Amino acid sequence: MRIKRIIPQTAIDSIPMPDVPDLALMDPLIEKYKTRKGNLIPLLQGTQEIYGYIPHEAFLKLNRETGLKLNEMYGVATFYAQFRLSPAGKHIIKMCHGTACHVQGVTAITDELSDLLNVKDGETTEDRIFTLETVACLGCCSLAPVMMIGEETYGKLTPKEASKIVKEIRRNEKLMENAKS
Amino acid sequence: MNKTTVIVGLGSCGLAAGAGKTYDEFHRIRQADKIDFEIKKTSCIGMCFREPLVEIIDETGKYLYGNVDVKRVDEIIEKHIKNFSPIPDYIIESEKYKSEDASFFDGQVKITLRNCGHIDPESIEEYESQGGYEAMRKISNTNMSPEKVIQSVLDSGIRGRGGGGFPAGMKWKFARNFTSDKKFVICNADEGDPGAFMDRSILEGDPHSVIEGMMICAYAIGASEGYIYCRAEYPLAIKRLNIALDQARKKGYLGENIFGIPNFNLEIQIKEGAGAFVCGEETALIASIEGERGMPRRRPPFPAESGLWKHPTNINNVETLANIPWIIYNGPEEFAKYGTEKSKGTKVFALTGKIKHGGLVEVPMGITIKDIIYKLGGGITGDKKFKAVQLGGPSGGCIPEYLSHTIVDYDSVNATGAIMGSGGMVVMDETTCVVDVAKFFLDFTQKESCGKCTFCRIGTKRMLEILTRITEGEGRQGDIEMLEEIAHTIKDSSLCGLGQTAPNPVLTTIKYFRDEYEAHIRDHKCPALSCKKLLTYEVIAENCTGCMACAKGCPVDAIEGEKKQVHNILQDVCIQCGVCFTKCKFKAIRLS
């Protein structure tokens, strides 16, 4: 059932939460949707667009300024797959588990990446570079098996290729980090 | 003399295959070498297996090139554009030359996809040059009454393409008959079936056709507001829809007194779905637009009476709406020429799985499944044995090879236990295990069940548990009967289409492949050699080089043997994880 997506409190506690986000960023969004009918989902989508997830404080602000009930917002946020209640990694790996990808063996690829990154479906790596997610269908069935990292789609994958791509991204991230420090 | 034109296919599939880079490369070389030719973009033509696709039109005709990656751009410009000598090796189809793969287009009839892959989807002028918005002009110029429009849709015989197969004209009639100060028209673009992508292709390739279809519907039922409910996972479709809506507004095609029809006002906006398969169901979709959890409501009242914010609402799927302008413009009898007695027109299928030529095909109703797979699709990958085809996604069912003469129409497909659905056609060969496929779909519906109806919520979970233990060799006598019993209970006691159809993949696979279920349960064997836990892994001595790769990978140290010596797998230690099989570079691990 869908609502199982609620993250257990212990898992939330183990994630290093960033400091209280700059809530003023939400003002134009609230202004735009405040009086519209059916605004709950666009408001949550907009908030996630800003912060990459929906921070606890953002729920409270929405409640204060739009009058939307907290329980209703939380109910909707945990129902739809799109919403996150904790920050995701810098790169979100979406593994397509559509029918075509399944028949072409995507499970082995997801397992490989899961081992490589030491995370399960929906989890974020310790270095916060990757979040691994399985999704229903990316609609590129003839390129199956497919994964999407950011805006980039990678098709006709093998476990080896997929881990090569991920390692490459991680290496670049580390290089950038080193250059900064 | 007309300028040579290069048209690059930039649909999602094409972009994933690298068409964006191809497009940029054409631009770069044109700039650098100062060559005079035009570059245009279009969307998906359906031939996904040869992406990226490039069409070149010069004074000698049209040439469709396949697999044009960045490296080939230079060669094509040099030979074809500069020196007028086309490169036969890369051409799929031209007026003089036809490659083997061009058989993909034979037998297709393009009504829904009439403009996809031919026009620039971001240009309203190109849509209009192909007869776009002529249907609306026809309604306006000939003073066609809403009743007459509905009659045309009824006469065409078009049935809902989203899965239900309910006659579209009837739906419109119901919505027309309820009086209200406000009515809504909704386009259902929440295409969630894993393995179906025809709606995405239409929205990306010809967004105006859907908008025009919505206009005609709004006029017919008397609606003044429209919503397009589109999956957020389709960013390119949303982008192109927004462009199209802006263009239509600028031209005055949306707004007030549209096309000079007095009091015909319409505004359309896009609602992004937030990722829930159940929202493809009309009442759940309405709940989602209203900002609630996407849970289905009890019917009646049907949306035609009390839909969005309790106003009469008509919901059609993308593919249905894209057909409407064509029907109004060309007349219902033209549409009804195609198809069978009870299923008129054409249907778009997404052909995927173990098939040589995967892609989007549009065929007249009445063609056999076999013809789609072998004539258009080129047969099974690697010429393996064709086993079954899954029609209709998680709500549909498996049709076995011996029924592949079944014709494609709503009633014939239903008779097999599958459904036409939105048109996903996943081909399976002898290496696909049907029990595993049934488990895959149940896993999907189980996760996507909204939880409102008890039998759908708990029943799918119990069925998944049984299927899981069968594929892991723990199946018990009586499991098949138990599956059937739960399946029928779920079908009988669920509110919406998700629950009512969720058990279909299990029921059809039991019906046609009962022996495979029995082999799993009784003999602990997977005939397709697909269920990992039921396999034994052995080393083929003559292929083994003793490289140790498998032994290093084995998580339980079940592989013994020294370097450069033939290895051996200790069967009583092995946990059938399959790592050795994937690690071996010499095909020295055998499954049995």
Side-chain angles (χ1 to χ4, degrees):
Chain A
M1 191 181 61
R2 306 198 54 81
I3 302 153
K4 223 174 57 187
R5 295 172 202 273
I6 299 173
I7 309 157
Q9 194 57 43
T10 48
I12 296 178
D13 292 344
S14 68
I15 305 168
M17 284 280 183
D19 300 330
V20 175
D22 179 8
L23 291 175
L25 293 172
M26 290 167 69
D27 289 338
L29 176 80
I30 294 176
E31 203 50 47
K32 186 175 172 194
Y33 285 104
K34 202 171 175 177
T35 53
R36 289 202 201 174
K37 247 183 175 182
N39 57 5
L40 203 165
I41 294 174
L43 279 170
L44 294 183
Q45 282 172 331
T47 308
Q48 179 153 306
E49 185 95 336
I50 297 170
Y51 305 109
Y53 72 108
I54 308 175
H56 182 74
E57 295 80 5
F59 279 114
L60 299 175
K61 183 182 166 89
L62 285 171
N63 169 254
R64 272 196 311 272
E65 298 187 12
T66 65
L68 287 165
K69 292 195 184 86
L70 280 174
N71 63 337
E72 277 172 15
M73 282 191 278
Y74 190 71
V76 167
T78 49
F79 182 83
Y80 293 99
Q82 188 190 12
F83 297 118
R84 299 168 192 288
L85 300 180
S86 60
K90 189 168 174 194
H91 299 273
I92 298 173
I93 307 173
K94 291 185 178 166
M95 301 299 304
C96 179
H97 278 232
T99 322
C101 290
H102 178 79
V103 174
Q104 305 278 25
V106 75
T107 319
I109 300 173
T110 310
D111 289 349
E112 174 87 13
L113 291 187
S114 182
D115 284 351
L116 176 74
L117 300 172
N118 197 20
V119 288
K120 288 197 210 67
D121 181 12
E123 291 180 353
T124 302
T125 53
E126 240 167 64
D127 55 11
R128 310 205 55 78
I129 293 178
F130 295 107
T131 297
L132 185 68
E133 273 185 1
T134 59
V135 296
C137 187
L138 294 169
C140 312
C141 307
S142 46
L143 297 170
V146 179
M147 72 174 176
M148 205 169 165
I149 303 180
E151 299 276 291
E152 191 83 28
T153 312
Y154 303 88
K156 303 215 171 228
L157 288 171
T158 60
K160 215 181 234 166
E161 261 172 71
S163 57
K164 208 172 118 194
I165 293 164
V166 168
K167 278 180 193 160
E168 177 82 30
I169 294 176
R170 184 174 254 174
R171 208 178 53 225
N172 288 340
E173 285 293 333
K174 292 266 146 91
L175 282 177
M176 260 159 54
E177 212 169 280
N178 289 343
K180 260 190 222 157
S181 61
Chain B
M1 183 190 104
N2 281 331
K3 238 194 245 180
T4 303
T5 309
V6 173
I7 307 173
V8 185
L10 294 176
S12 277
C13 290
L15 287 171
K21 289 182 192 121
T22 302
Y23 183 76
D24 293 343
E25 184 72 359
F26 271 109
H27 269 286
R28 193 188 64 79
I29 298 182
R30 182 176 70 169
Q31 209 80 34
D33 296 5
K34 303 214 165 40
I35 317 162
D36 191 26
F37 64 90
E38 208 177 330
I39 305 172
K40 284 186 177 176
K41 52 186 165 186
T42 185
S43 187
C44 173
I45 196 168
M47 207 177 210
C48 306
F49 63 101
R50 294 294 299 270
E51 295 279 8
L53 294 163
V54 170
E55 190 173 31
I56 297 182
I57 305 173
D58 61 20
E59 53 196 52
T60 61
K62 284 183 184 179
Y63 302 83
L64 181 65
Y65 283 95
N67 305 91
V68 187
D69 52 21
V70 181
K71 285 174 226 138
R72 285 186 179 175
V73 173
D74 193 31
E75 191 184 351
I76 289 175
I77 292 182
E78 195 59 40
K79 288 188 180 159
H80 188 147
I81 297 178
K82 280 191 182 166
N83 297 310
F84 294 104
S85 77
I87 313 161
D89 288 354
Y90 304 161
I91 291 179
I92 299 169
E93 194 176 43
S94 72
E95 274 140 49
K96 291 184 212 103
Y97 174 78
K98 245 181 164 191
S99 76
E100 221 175 89
D101 290 347
S103 66
F104 183 75
F105 295 114
D106 295 343
Q108 290 203 50
V109 177
K110 304 245 179 177
I111 294 178
T112 323
L113 303 176
R114 57 194 178 277
N115 293 324
C116 288
H118 298 294
I119 63 165
D120 178 350
E122 296 178 14
S123 156
I124 192 168
E125 286 77 20
E126 288 206 15
Y127 177 64
E128 295 203 90
S129 74
Q130 301 299 315
Y133 292 108
E134 283 303 319
M136 272 313 297
R137 285 200 185 91
K138 183 179 173 185
I139 291 174
S140 165
N141 294 340
T142 61
N143 286 326
M144 217 168 156
S145 68
E147 285 76 15
K148 219 174 146 199
V149 171
I150 293 177
Q151 196 54 48
S152 288
V153 177
L154 276 171
D155 290 344
S156 75
I158 185 168
R159 294 167 68 168
R161 298 290 194 248
F166 191 79
M170 294 283 274
K171 238 180 170 177
W172 290 22
K173 209 172 166 180
F174 293 144
R176 165 114 208 129
N177 288 343
F178 287 101
T179 44
S180 168
D181 56 333
K182 204 171 189 77
K183 290 185 187 178
F184 293 98
V185 47
I186 297 177
C187 168
N188 183 349
D190 191 45
E191 181 175 57
D193 274 16
F197 53 93
M198 58 284 298
D199 291 352
R200 195 208 69 209
S201 271
I202 297 168
L203 294 171
E204 284 177 4
D206 196 12
H208 283 287
S209 69
V210 180
I211 295 170
E212 192 181 0
M214 287 179 77
M215 278 181 197
I216 297 169
C217 176
Y219 172 73
I221 68 166
S224 57
E225 259 187 71
Y227 285 95
I228 302 173
Y229 187 89
C230 187
R231 283 182 89 188
E233 286 93 334
Y234 287 173
L236 187 60
I238 292 173
K239 183 185 147 209
R240 288 187 178 159
L241 273 172
N242 271 318
I243 293 173
L245 286 172
D246 278 343
Q247 290 168 338
R249 269 182 218 119
K250 275 202 191 105
K251 287 228 171 196
Y253 297 168
L254 288 171
E256 292 178 353
N257 303 322
I258 301 169
F259 288 97
I261 303 169
N263 300 322
F264 176 39
N265 310 330
L266 180 67
E267 195 36 70
I268 296 177
Q269 52 175 305
I270 299 172
K271 276 272 173 181
E272 279 183 46
F277 176 67
V278 69
C279 287
E281 204 277 337
E282 352 186 82
T283 57
L285 187 153
I286 288 173
S288 180
I289 293 183
E290 290 174 353
E292 292 174 18
R293 283 184 171 195
M295 287 180 161
R297 296 166 184 175
R298 201 164 53 89
R299 295 176 298 178
F302 285 89
E305 183 184 350
S306 171
L308 189 58
W309 288 300
K310 303 223 172 347
H311 292 289
T313 304
N314 182 70
I315 304 180
N316 285 123
N317 140 287
V318 170
E319 197 186 330
T320 316
L321 288 167
N323 276 307
I324 299 292
W326 193 94
I327 292 171
I328 298 296
Y329 183 67
N330 294 287
E333 57 295 335
E334 282 300 308
F335 188 80
K337 265 187 196 165
Y338 299 103
T340 61
E341 196 199 333
K342 286 187 178 161
S343 304
K344 300 292 187 196
T346 58
K347 176 80 192 91
V348 184
F349 287 100
L351 205 50
T352 58
K354 307 278 176 96
I355 183 125
K356 279 185 190 157
H357 302 166
L360 268 196
V361 296
E362 181 172 357
V363 289
M365 299 271 193
I367 189 174
T368 64
I369 291 172
K370 204 174 199 158
D371 280 352
I372 297 181
I373 293 171
Y374 283 97
K375 289 196 180 150
L376 279 68
I380 310 297
T381 319
D383 291 314
K384 288 196 175 132
K385 198 169 168 286
F386 170 37
K387 181 171 182 178
V389 58
Q390 166 79 20
L391 257 186
S395 312
C398 269
I399 298 177
E401 192 266 340
Y402 70 86
L403 288 178
S404 63
H405 57 271
T406 304
I407 58 166
V408 169
D409 80 0
Y410 289 93
D411 309 286
S412 312
V413 172
N414 284 350
T416 66
I419 63 163
M420 188 91 103
S422 55
M425 198 179 256
V426 184
V427 179
M428 299 175 226
D429 67 13
E430 56 198 332
T431 63
T432 318
C433 169
V434 291
V435 186
D436 177 63
V437 169
K439 188 183 98 182
F440 165 76
F441 283 118
L442 241 289
D443 181 49
F444 178 79
T445 34
Q446 188 267 134
K447 278 186 192 142
E448 292 296 335
S449 168
C450 79
K452 184 166 184 164
C453 306
T454 318
F455 291 94
C456 175
R457 182 180 68 233
I458 300 172
T460 50
K461 179 93 182 158
R462 294 289 96 86
M463 284 178 79
L464 179 64
E465 285 166 3
I466 297 173
L467 287 166
T468 306
R469 72 170 179 246
I470 293 176
T471 54
E472 289 177 354
E474 313 273 320
R476 305 170 196 160
Q477 288 302 325
D479 270 353
I480 298 178
E481 291 72 20
M482 177 69 95
L483 280 174
E484 287 175 322
E485 192 188 332
I486 305 176
H488 288 295
T489 319
I490 297 173
K491 279 172 88 82
D492 290 343
S493 44
S494 298
L495 263 185
C496 83
L498 192 152
Q500 286 160 12
T501 58
N504 283 353
V506 179
L507 287 175
T508 51
T509 46
I510 291 180
K511 185 171 167 189
Y512 299 117
F513 299 98
R514 201 180 180 101
D515 52 334
E516 273 194 39
Y517 277 84
E518 279 166 356
H520 280 78
I521 296 171
R522 201 182 47 224
D523 311 329
H524 304 290
K525 283 202 166 83
C526 175
L529 299 181
S530 160
C531 297
K532 269 189 189 170
K533 289 269 172 79
L534 301 182
L535 301 176
T536 42
Y537 294 81
E538 283 163 345
V539 176
I540 305 170
E542 47 273 27
N543 290 358
C544 181
T545 62
C547 72
M548 305 283 292
C550 59
K552 277 181 205 149
C554 181
V556 289
D557 294 327
I559 301 173
E560 54 175 19
E562 295 298 312
K563 203 162 191 185
K564 295 196 175 157
Q565 277 176 14
V566 173
H567 297 333
N568 178 39
I569 300 175
L570 303 167
Q571 294 302 338
D572 46 342
V573 184
C574 176
I575 54 163
Q576 289 91 25
C577 67
V579 166
C580 52
F581 184 76
T582 46
K583 292 274 178 205
C584 182
K585 288 179 192 151
F586 307 99
K587 296 197 172 135
I589 307 281
R590 171 171 47 209
L591 303 177
S592 60

